[in-house]
Amino acid sequence: MLYVAVSALSHPGLLRHRNEDSLVAGPWTLCATVTENPQTLVFRLGTPLVVAVADGLGGHPGGDVASALVVRRIAAIGPALSSEDAVRDALHACNRAVYEAAGGEEESELTAMGTTIAGVVVEQDSLRVFNVGDSRVLAVSRDGLRQVSVDDSPPLEPGQRTTSLVTQCLGGMPGYRSVDPHVTTAPLSSGDCYLISTDGLTDPLTPDVIEEVLREHEDGRAAFELWKAAIEAGGPDNITLAVVRIGDE
């Protein structure tokens, strides 16, 4: 019988005063807090299992509020995300919820708060990947590391490897703006491994470094070594990640 091992960690990094990232794994959420020691949860495959990270927008008010709101909402409806359309509908609802929580048409201290989101929904024989913004889902296989989410970022300039700008997110605007979520489905089998993370991990670390860690380690040790590498690279932003491994007992 297939199972899912989820090893998660969230940390503010070295330069930020607070953590505005949040995470969901099944019914479990981790919102704007600190876990230097990875937490590993094991789930039997049955109803849809959602694992996702949300990165509250820096430079905007209430990034921690937006990310926490979204992952808690996703945790509540996760078992119902049984199709690509259901995932899209959930992300549209989250976008609307962030806008309304920020005051809607009335200006408030939370006006323009927003968050990215990226994650997977795991079922018995398939896995749906989704994202809005620049948080990422990476697949690890014999062929190497492969990004399976789609960055909502402007084109990079020559020689530029990363950017903090996003072209869409949940909320993030004074007025309501619809989003166009990226959602795809892939087959699932034992041994598959995915990394879901905010850009606090993928900006300071090159794909080669991430791939090397995931080839040498798994589960909680992999999560810890990735966090450690990001800290050693300067820890410029909040770091939140989940290593998702499909096992067979």
Side-chain angles (χ1 to χ4, degrees):
M1 178 179 292
L2 294 180
Y3 66 88
V4 186
V6 181
S7 299
L9 182 150
S10 187
H11 188 272
L14 297 180
L15 302 183
R16 303 293 188 187
H17 295 299
R18 61 180 180 175
N19 190 1
E20 295 187 309
D21 290 355
S22 296
L23 179 144
V24 54
W28 184 72
T29 59
L30 192 65
C31 299
T33 188
V34 179
T35 56
E36 292 186 3
N37 296 314
Q39 309 293 309
T40 298
L41 305 172
V42 178
F43 302 90
R44 289 182 181 273
L45 275 181
T47 56
L49 173 74
V50 63
V51 183
V53 300
D55 182 353
L57 294 188
H60 290 233
D64 53 338
V65 177
S67 68
L69 183 159
V70 167
V71 300
R72 287 171 177 151
R73 190 180 186 97
I74 292 293
I77 63 176
L81 300 180
S82 56
S83 69
E84 290 189 6
D85 284 344
V87 174
R88 290 189 182 93
D89 289 346
L91 295 175
H92 285 298
C94 285
N95 184 43
R96 173 66 70 175
V98 172
Y99 169 70
E100 292 177 351
E105 296 181 0
E106 300 295 326
E107 187 172 346
S108 77
E109 62 181 10
L110 296 178
T111 293
M113 74 173 182
T115 182
T116 70
I117 188 167
V120 298
V121 181
V122 189
E123 293 200 82
Q124 289 285 355
D125 57 0
S126 66
L127 178 139
R128 272 177 292 284
V129 177
F130 63 89
N131 79 283
V132 177
D134 61 355
S135 292
R136 290 180 177 177
V137 182
L138 305 173
V140 188
S141 69
R142 299 185 189 91
D143 299 326
L145 192 69
R146 179 170 54 95
Q147 182 173 334
V148 290
S149 57
V150 179
D151 289 346
D152 288 314
S153 301
L156 297 176
E157 298 293 334
Q160 184 182 20
R161 194 176 66 83
T162 65
T163 176
S164 60
L165 301 177
V166 294
T167 53
Q168 69 168 352
C169 60
L170 304 179
M173 299 288 289
Y176 177 77
R177 183 179 69 172
S178 183
V179 294
D180 183 17
H182 307 282
V183 187
T184 58
T185 303
L188 185 75
S189 60
S190 177
D192 288 352
C193 182
Y194 292 86
L195 170 65
I196 306 166
S197 75
T198 61
D199 61 359
L201 181 80
T202 54
D203 277 0
L205 299 184
T206 64
D208 287 347
V209 171
I210 295 173
E211 181 179 350
E212 182 179 357
V213 170
L214 291 172
R215 288 199 177 280
E216 291 185 5
H217 308 286
E218 66 179 26
D219 298 344
R221 182 62 186 273
F224 176 81
E225 293 294 337
L226 287 168
W227 166 79
K228 180 181 174 184
I231 290 294
E232 291 175 346
D237 201 352
N238 302 158
I239 304 161
T240 298
L241 64 104
V243 177
V244 179
R245 179 177 58 83
I246 311 303
D248 194 358
E249 57 184 10

